[in-house]
Amino acid sequence: MRFSFVLSEVLTGLRRNVTMTVAMILTTAISLGLLGGGLLVVRMIDHMRDNFGDEVEVNVYLNKDISGTDKGCTAQPCAGIKSALEQDANVEETRYENQDEAFERFKRVFSGQPELLDLTRKEALPGTFHLKLKNPDRANVIVQTYSNKPGISSVEDQGIFLERFFGVLNGVRNATWVVAAIQAIAALLLISNTIQVSAFTRRTEVGIMRLVGATRWYTQLPFLLEAVVAGLVGAVLAVAGLVGIKGIFVDNVLAEPISAGIIPKIEMLDIFWPVAPILVAVAILISAITGYVTLRLYVRT
Amino acid sequence: MIRLEHVSKNYKTSTRPALDDVSVDMDKGEFVFLIGPSGSGKSTFLRLLLREEVPSKGKLYVNNFDITRMSRRRIPRLRQSIGCVFQDFRLLVNKTVAENVAFALEVIGKPSHTIKKVVPEVLELVGLDGKANRMPNELSGGEQQRVAIARAFVNRPLMLLADEPTGNLDPDTSQDIMLLLERINRTGTTVLMATHDHSIVDSMRRRVVELAFGRVIRDDARGVYGVGR
């Protein structure tokens, strides 16, 4: 196999059909970029699960009477609730935070917003049991068991909020992938069409190649490689696009929640591993398969 | 070299067979004219030899390849043993004379040092030395056909198929092309030439196989064009 020959055929083919080549590369790039964006959202959700998974708590809020009067949780019904929680098989750790402590934490968290601090009275904050569960999936059992107990105003499962947030992110991911899939169909059709046009413009060459006894590798590999090269360039553009969007857009827009530690930062490394190799692999695979099928269906051997 | 045993070829689009129970033998080193009016089956005959088509019936052997039973993967090997020349030359207009000839070797994976050696040799053989770097459109029709013959012969095939190679040329140029084909034939290469050219067939006095309605109606060892019609 003379690679220099095949390579020069590929380059000639791409140049000869330059408008189609550009269209093919751009569509592929957009499709892969969206796929990559979706993959990054998945990574983000995974990071968040890792970060928050251990810290997700169930909060048991006491009513105003107890919160205001029983700071040490020594009297009934607070002491009873405490011992019930401590002996609950689902609960791994129980931490009591009284009104004073809750207010101190509130002041700390919202130190940047003095207006809010001025408006908030200490009495508005309830005493709280922060529970860490042995199995976070059992949170609803705790919610059901303790919600209506005397002295308890409400039981809140933080995991539900987190899941709701993940739900939004998953929705974003799914929407991205649907658009990526539609774009991918356009890319496939373009690749297929480009190969057909390419084969048509080179029918004299291919005819001669067949007559002098060139194998199918020689006659068809240039077309196949044309598609793969375009796919690869598309993948590189997609990765560059992701890096650009991250740097210019995502980092700025999400700067606050990122610095507050709510949303994990998308690192450059996340884009280069494993997203970039995945995009390159998908690009090669899809363009090669499309090319092969097109040649099989439309181009005589 | 070539053996057809009761070969028939039917196309789906036609009720009449393109070739009908044809049996012919051609030996190594022969020079054979294949004649007959348009639609008599000459092109189908040549296409079968190249395995562009498969016989509907009968057996066909070319250069020891069993055409009727060979796998697709072996087709390139068969075609590498056959050179082809056409009425319309089929040169690549964006390549020079030398590049056109080299192309036939490049695409079958010959190493570049071989190509560098044999391309000038074959250009000299066909009388085109000194024109290696010309583009096809700078050449006369006869010269273009010489390039096509050089390309067909550069891989030293066992057999040369020529489909009306003089069809686009004036009589004098046609004569030159025939001399060239004779010269190639003298190297031991079988030449099978489909033609309508009376004067060439009559003057060369070689074997003539005549087809009509897909059948062989004449096979003369030293024939002329007109007899038997």
Side-chain angles (χ1 to χ4, degrees):
Chain A
M1 174 73 62
R2 287 165 54 91
F3 285 103
S4 55
F5 170 77
V6 174
L7 206 68
S8 77
E9 287 290 300
V10 171
L11 292 178
T12 319
L14 287 171
R15 265 207 310 270
R16 184 155 27 189
N17 213 349
V18 72
T19 45
M20 286 289 279
T21 307
V22 171
M24 180 162 78
I25 288 174
L26 287 181
T27 339
T28 313
I30 294 172
S31 174
L32 289 171
L34 289 169
L35 173 66
L39 288 174
L40 285 176
V41 173
V42 173
R43 300 267 313 156
M44 202 155 117
I45 295 174
D46 287 348
H47 278 314
M48 285 177 78
R49 277 193 205 284
D50 289 347
N51 290 351
F52 294 132
D54 296 338
E55 294 169 24
V56 171
E57 294 177 336
V58 173
N59 293 330
V60 177
Y61 297 113
L62 300 175
N63 66 22
K64 267 186 189 164
D65 289 347
I66 305 174
S67 301
T69 54
D70 192 1
K71 300 261 159 94
C73 197
T74 45
Q76 291 300 345
C78 187
I81 296 167
K82 190 179 179 190
S83 69
L85 287 171
E86 278 167 354
Q87 281 158 30
D88 194 307
N90 289 312
V91 178
E92 188 181 317
E93 194 186 305
T94 308
R95 184 168 58 81
Y96 179 65
E97 180 185 52
N98 67 27
Q99 201 168 50
D100 296 343
E101 290 161 345
F103 190 58
E104 285 308 312
R105 189 161 61 90
F106 183 85
K107 284 201 283 196
R108 228 176 26 246
V109 171
F110 294 100
S111 58
Q113 289 164 283
E115 307 87 359
L116 188 65
L117 292 179
D118 285 346
L119 284 170
T120 310
R121 291 172 302 114
K122 184 166 83 174
E123 292 71 32
L125 299 172
T128 310
F129 286 105
H130 297 279
L131 309 181
K132 203 168 159 190
L133 302 190
K134 282 176 184 153
N135 177 2
D137 296 341
R138 307 273 299 164
N140 58 337
V141 178
I142 302 286
V143 174
Q144 277 167 20
T145 315
Y146 292 96
S147 284
N148 297 318
K149 290 257 162 107
I152 292 174
S153 80
S154 65
V155 182
E156 175 199 83
D157 172 15
Q158 285 184 338
I160 286 178
F161 292 105
L162 208 56
E163 285 307 322
R164 220 172 272 165
F165 185 60
F166 287 157
V168 173
L169 285 181
N170 279 329
V172 170
R173 178 203 62 193
N174 290 343
T176 317
W177 280 355
V178 167
V179 181
I182 294 170
Q183 194 70 21
I185 292 171
L188 290 192
L189 294 176
L190 263 176
I191 292 173
S192 168
N193 187 265
T194 310
I195 289 181
Q196 287 177 59
V197 172
S198 199
F200 184 76
T201 33
R202 266 187 277 167
R203 62 195 182 285
T204 319
E205 272 106 321
V206 174
I208 292 166
M209 286 164 102
R210 292 175 52 234
L211 274 179
V212 300
T215 56
R216 258 183 53 196
W217 278 110
Y218 268 97
T219 50
Q220 303 203 339
L221 197 63
F223 299 117
L224 210 61
L225 284 182
E226 251 175 62
V228 172
V229 167
L232 267 180
V233 175
V236 170
L237 284 184
V239 172
L242 286 177
V243 170
I245 287 173
K246 173 203 137 49
I248 297 163
F249 182 69
V250 179
D251 285 357
N252 289 334
V253 171
L254 297 180
E256 279 197 17
I258 288 173
S259 62
I262 299 171
I263 294 176
K265 189 166 192 263
I266 297 172
E267 300 291 343
M268 275 305 177
L269 198 65
D270 288 332
I271 297 178
F272 290 115
W273 182 266
V275 174
I278 290 176
L279 295 188
V280 168
V282 168
I284 291 175
L285 213 65
I286 298 239
S287 50
I289 291 173
T290 314
Y292 182 78
V293 171
T294 308
L295 288 170
R296 266 289 157 109
L297 291 181
Y298 299 106
V299 182
R300 264 192 83 179
T301 53
Chain B
M1 180 94 333
I2 299 176
R3 165 172 286 183
L4 287 82
E5 294 176 0
H6 306 288
V7 168
S8 295
K9 176 65 190 175
N10 296 291
Y11 291 109
K12 281 179 194 147
T13 46
S14 171
T15 49
R16 190 175 66 79
L19 282 184
D20 189 3
D21 193 27
V22 171
S23 296
V24 182
D25 268 311
M26 291 173 198
D27 292 331
K28 182 166 166 37
E30 270 198 283
F31 195 118
V32 183
F33 287 114
L34 187 64
I35 65 169
S38 298
S40 60
K42 298 192 300 293
S43 295
T44 301
F45 192 107
L46 297 183
R47 290 171 64 79
L48 285 174
L49 299 185
L50 285 165
R51 221 307 199 144
E52 295 251 28
E53 305 283 351
V54 188
S56 310
K57 258 188 277 178
K59 292 196 164 175
L60 171 55
Y61 303 90
V62 178
N63 299 342
N64 295 326
F65 289 93
D66 182 348
I67 301 283
T68 35
R69 290 168 59 181
M70 76 191 297
S71 70
R72 297 179 71 87
R73 285 187 46 229
R74 297 194 67 207
I75 295 175
R77 284 254 161 250
L78 165 76
R79 291 183 184 159
Q80 284 175 25
S81 70
I82 304 173
C84 282
V85 182
F86 301 94
Q87 183 174 2
D88 56 0
F89 319 138
R90 300 197 192 171
L91 299 178
L92 299 173
V93 291
N94 54 351
K95 289 188 191 292
T96 64
V97 167
E99 285 167 352
N100 263 283
V101 177
F103 184 76
L105 295 175
E106 281 170 345
V107 301
I108 56 171
K110 292 282 179 201
S112 51
H113 60 87
T114 309
I115 296 175
K116 281 199 187 104
K117 184 170 159 288
V118 299
V119 169
E121 285 174 6
V122 80
L123 284 178
E124 194 187 337
L125 176 83
V126 301
L128 284 176
D129 38 338
K131 300 205 167 165
N133 295 320
R134 298 283 193 88
M135 300 306 279
N137 58 13
E138 298 166 2
L139 303 178
S140 70
E143 286 170 329
Q144 290 191 43
Q145 193 60 293
R146 284 168 189 272
V147 179
I149 292 171
R151 182 179 65 195
F153 189 62
V154 70
N155 194 32
R156 305 287 157 158
L158 297 170
M159 180 164 67
L160 191 72
L161 301 185
D163 192 359
E164 309 233 17
T166 58
N168 276 347
L169 305 175
D170 63 63
D172 285 349
T173 313
S174 298
Q175 208 56 52
D176 292 344
I177 293 295
M178 290 317 297
L179 288 174
L180 179 56
L181 290 179
E182 270 199 305
R183 208 166 146 192
I184 284 173
N185 177 235
R186 278 200 298 274
T187 66
T189 307
T190 310
V191 176
L192 174 61
M193 171 169 160
T195 187
H196 283 134
D197 196 324
H198 296 230
S199 58
I200 284 175
V201 177
D202 291 348
S203 67
M204 300 246 318
R205 286 294 181 138
R206 295 297 190 120
R207 181 176 171 191
V208 173
V209 174
E210 181 171 359
L211 290 172
F213 300 108
R215 288 179 160 269
V216 175
I217 57 166
R218 178 160 66 107
D219 188 349
D220 292 343
R222 296 175 69 79
V224 291
Y225 199 96
V227 174
R229 281 148 52 87

